[in-house]
Every structure is written in structure tokens, then in C-alpha cells.
Amino acid sequence: MTSGDHDYSGQTIADPDFRGRVFKEAVDFSGCTFTGRADFSEAVFEGRVSFSRAVFEQFADFRNTRFDGSACFTEAVFENDLTFEDVTVGGALRLDRACFEQASRIGPARADEVDLSLVVFQRRVRIELVTRLVRCERGRFVEGAQFLLDGADLILKDSDLGGASLLASYTAPHDVYDPDRRPRLVTLSGTDVANLTVSRVDLSAAKLMNAHNLDQMRIRPDDAFGWTPGTFRIARRQVIGDEVRWRAKNGPARSRWKLPEGWPDLDAPRTAGDVSKAYQALRKGREEARDEPGAADFYYGEMEMRRLGTRLRGKEQWRERNVRGWLAARGEYTLLWLYWLMSGYGLRAWRAFTALAVLVAGAAAGFLEWGFPAGTSMDYPGAVRYTLRAATSLLRGTDQALTPTGEWIELGVRFLGPVLLGLALLALRGRVRR
């Protein structure tokens, strides 16, 4: 059965039975009140359709409904349960400002994009979508929600997840999971994620700053954060999108940190300290989950942001002619830089061992040149052995006559050697625990 252009706006429809109807032209149900069971199953809307501000007092059935264009349910109220399964929308599916008092499931549904902004779900809901973009700003999910998405970008901003919630990749029955079609999280800014679990989701471009209780969000280890750009460095680490955006705009080597193609257009973090706080929260969550590798990478990122942020703060203090502030920032930066250079913040054993080897080789040469009194019979291998003994003992007295310069060299070796050895052992311990 086909229908032409119809305007039902503002009407009260007692027994709405539109099952299997084909609407050739635009249909307007705006402001309608459906007092009986609303049956739109297997209906086809070839033109524009609007259910904005409609009220469904009884059960609403949208099984196998097809919308060739967009479907607008803005500010609609569903007082009872509904079935919204196997729905196909050619354009946008707009559920913004809609209120679902009893609904427990939306989907599976296909649409170009879905708008859930300011939506209210009073019950725990399962949302299954195959779409390009899901926008949920200031949504309210009183008892929590399950977002099962197939290849969609998700904007979850300033939303309330009142109960246990899940964000995961949607795999239709009998389909094989495809990691290339994982949903991509765009932002969690302003959302309380204490009740959120994330599984099989691309997190490489996500904006995690300003999310509340980020340390309590549960992230399964198979989720993909990004990685540092390929360089000559031996070790790579996981990075969050906030660091990539900050480095692409503010950090050194900006060209190496250029944003990948296809990333969502989001503002870069204002300060490195904001990124450091996000890393700190993620590290805490990984430590509580006993994920040592993830915690180590996030600690490294936290320290990197502290170091680079201190460097920029020192430059700002210098431009403002604040000498005291510049000295404080410069001193902190120097300490962090040395900590990074010599041991990779206590996480790179090879750096500490390399620094120890350089110290021993240089000090041995110094002893030969200036450290031993004239006439002392000592070759370079002997000087290396002497330096190694000094480097591995902090308090043992000297057993070799030295010049005043040699005594200063020995003091330096006795202090720096155990420090570097301790950093190396600390990094090895962290590696073994992984």
C-alpha cells in the first residue's frame, strides 16, 4: 500500500497501524500523540519524515523499517518500550533530545550518522549501530549503556553514564571480527568514565583530557593507542592523541609528529601539563589493573610532558624577564633532561648501561692523563679496572695514589657510578616484571 504526501502533525492517533506502508512523499508526524500501539514495522519512507516532539504512549514497533532519507525523532518521547531492530536510514538518524523511559535496546540499525545529543535513557540500554559517526553530547544514561559500534567515530562529550557501561566493536551474528573496522573514539571530554569499559576500540586519536575519573576507566589490553613515530631510537612506546596534537603544534621536531591523515579536527591541548595529567590518570588505572607494560609507557609519556612543559615554561619566564622563575624552570628541566638522557626515566636500561660505560671510559682516560702521579706504572686497561672498582663502591677508601685532579675524578666516579648502576637495575627490574 502506498501513500502520498501526508501531514499528521499535531494529531492524536488512537490506533496507528502503518505496517508495511510505503510513503512515496514526505511525511510529517511532528507533535503527534500515539495513544495505541504504534506499528511502523516494515514500513518504507522514500521521502523526508519527521517524528519530532511525537509522544508514543504505548509500544512502538520499528522492526525492518526503511528510511531512504533522514529520520528525525528530535524531542520524541517514548513512554513505553519499543523495537528498533534492523532499521536502515539513508541519511542521518536524529534522536537528539529524545526521551526513552522503558527502552532497553536500539538497533541493530544502519545510518549515515546518528545524533544522540541530550538524549535520555531511563533504563540500561544496548545501542547497536553501523554508521560513520555517532555524536553524543550531554546525553544521559541513567542506568548505563552498551555502545556496540561498527567502524564509527564516537563523540561522547559531557555525558552522564550513570551505571556500568561498555564501548566495544560491534560484530553482527556470523560475522568475523575485523580489527580494521573497529570504532574510533574521538573524545571523552567532560564525561565521567568511572563506569566505562572499553574493548576493541581505536583510541589512537582520542581526546582524553578533561574526562572525569579517567583512572577508573577500564581498558582492555587489545585496544590500540598510537605509537611514537619511527626514529633511530631503539624503544618505541604507546602515546595518546593528546600528546601527538600537542607535539605537532608546540613541541620540538614538529614535522616528525605531524598528525596522521584522517584524524578528527580537534584543538591541541593548551599546555603539556594537561597532557601529563591524562597520562597520570591512565598510568594509575593500568597499575591497578597490574598491566606493567601499559603503566610504564604512560609513565614515560607523563615524564616527557613534564620535561617539555618545563622547557617551554622556562622560555616564557625568560621572555617576561622573570629571572627567578626562569632559574627554577631551568633547574627542573635540567634534572628531568638528565634523568631522561641517562636512564629514560628509569625505564631504559640500555641508556643507563651506556652512560655507565661512557663514564668509565672517560674517567679512565682522565686518570691516565691527570689522575696518577708522575712515574706511576699504569696502562689504560689498568685504569679501566681501577675506575670500575671506584664506580661500584661508594665509600671504599682509595688504594691508589692520586693527584688532586685524580681525587676529584674519583669522587665523581664514586657518586655517579652507583647512581647509574641503580638506574640500570631499576629499569631491568621493570623489564622483568613485564
Side-chain angles (χ1 to χ4, degrees):
M1 181 175 180
T2 62
S3 297
D5 192 353
H6 289 285
D7 184 1
Y8 297 91
S9 59
Q11 298 183 20
T12 298
I13 304 177
D15 190 16
D17 185 1
F18 297 95
R19 180 176 181 179
R21 292 275 293 272
V22 178
F23 296 89
K24 294 288 187 180
E25 304 296 336
V27 186
D28 189 0
F29 290 100
S30 299
C32 281
T33 300
F34 299 98
T35 59
R37 176 188 175 98
D39 192 348
F40 290 90
S41 61
E42 300 181 7
V44 177
F45 296 89
E46 297 183 356
R48 179 177 53 83
V49 59
S50 174
F51 289 89
S52 61
R53 303 185 310 281
V55 178
F56 297 83
E57 295 183 353
Q58 302 298 323
F59 185 85
D61 192 347
F62 285 91
R63 284 176 298 177
N64 296 297
T65 305
R66 193 185 86 200
F67 302 88
D68 289 347
S70 297
C72 178
F73 291 85
T74 300
E75 296 186 55
V77 177
F78 295 85
E79 297 180 355
N80 212 306
D81 201 357
L82 81 156
T83 300
F84 204 83
E85 298 179 13
D86 299 318
V87 174
T88 302
V89 183
L93 173 59
R94 295 194 57 185
L95 299 173
D96 51 308
R97 295 182 173 85
C99 179
F100 298 86
E101 298 182 7
Q102 299 295 327
S104 60
R105 183 175 180 180
I106 298 292
R110 292 178 177 270
D112 177 59
E113 63 178 76
V114 179
D115 192 351
L116 294 171
S117 297
L118 291 167
V119 72
V120 177
F121 283 94
Q122 297 290 351
R123 295 181 56 189
R124 179 173 172 81
V125 62
R126 177 185 176 98
I127 300 174
E128 304 175 21
L129 299 172
V130 180
T131 183
R132 176 181 58 85
L133 172 67
V134 178
R135 183 183 300 276
C136 184
E137 299 186 22
R138 292 187 288 170
R140 185 175 175 222
F141 304 87
V142 177
E143 296 183 358
Q146 288 182 306
F147 296 94
L148 305 179
L149 309 178
D150 185 347
D153 281 0
L154 173 62
I155 297 173
L156 191 60
K157 185 177 180 182
D158 299 318
S159 295
D160 180 12
L161 302 175
S165 300
L166 172 68
L167 170 58
S169 178
Y170 171 67
T171 303
H174 310 299
D175 283 358
V176 178
Y177 170 66
D178 183 358
D180 293 332
R181 295 176 60 184
R182 289 184 305 172
R184 180 172 65 174
L185 182 61
V186 176
T187 180
L188 289 173
S189 180
T191 299
D192 189 339
V193 296
N195 296 317
L196 181 63
T197 298
V198 180
S199 175
R200 298 191 304 189
V201 175
D202 182 0
L203 302 175
S204 60
K207 178 180 180 181
L208 302 178
M209 287 189 336
N210 304 322
H212 303 299
N213 295 310
L214 187 60
D215 59 312
Q216 299 180 42
M217 183 173 72
R218 290 161 295 282
I219 305 173
R220 287 187 50 175
D222 59 359
D223 289 288
F225 286 93
W227 293 90
T228 50
T231 63
F232 61 90
R233 296 176 182 172
I234 295 177
R236 298 182 71 191
R237 62 179 174 88
Q238 293 184 92
V239 294
I240 62 176
D242 295 313
E243 179 182 355
V244 178
R245 292 188 182 92
W246 186 87
R247 283 181 178 266
K249 182 177 180 180
N250 303 291
R254 295 184 184 89
S255 60
R256 186 164 60 84
W257 288 86
K258 185 170 62 174
L259 297 182
E261 293 185 8
W263 266 35
D265 186 15
L266 298 174
D267 293 335
R270 188 174 61 87
T271 68
D274 294 333
V275 185
S276 180
K277 291 177 183 177
Y279 269 126
Q280 186 178 33
L282 289 169
R283 172 178 60 82
K284 182 179 177 182
R286 287 296 176 94
E287 287 174 345
E288 293 177 352
R290 299 187 181 280
D291 177 11
E292 296 295 336
D297 279 355
F298 292 145
Y299 174 71
Y300 198 104
E302 176 188 349
M303 296 301 294
E304 279 286 85
M305 291 295 96
R306 280 186 58 189
R307 178 174 68 87
L308 296 175
T310 304
R311 176 174 176 267
L312 288 185
R313 188 170 73 248
K315 290 184 176 181
E316 293 172 359
Q317 297 295 328
W318 181 259
R319 286 195 296 266
E320 295 173 3
R321 299 295 188 267
N322 185 348
V323 177
R324 181 179 296 179
W326 175 79
L327 287 173
R330 194 65 189 177
E332 182 180 353
Y333 171 75
T334 300
L335 288 175
L336 291 172
W337 181 80
L338 289 172
Y339 190 26
W340 164 79
L341 180 67
M342 293 185 177
S343 67
Y345 309 114
L347 296 173
R348 303 291 187 259
W350 67 269
R351 288 196 185 189
F353 281 123
T354 300
L356 182 60
V358 171
L359 173 68
V360 170
F367 278 128
L368 277 180
E369 186 69 23
W370 306 290
F372 299 127
T376 302
S377 177
M378 182 72 71
D379 56 7
Y380 187 72
V384 169
R385 289 192 296 272
Y386 176 80
T387 305
L388 281 172
R389 287 195 299 271
T392 54
S393 177
L394 184 61
L395 299 175
R396 191 185 66 219
T398 180
D399 56 2
Q400 173 68 48
L402 298 173
T403 65
T405 301
E407 291 178 357
W408 282 109
I409 295 175
E410 185 186 42
L411 286 173
V413 169
R414 289 188 185 280
F415 173 74
L416 292 176
V419 170
L420 293 174
L421 187 59
L423 290 173
L425 294 176
L426 178 65
L428 283 176
R429 178 176 177 271
R431 178 67 62 178
V432 170
R433 289 178 63 186
R434 298 188 193 190

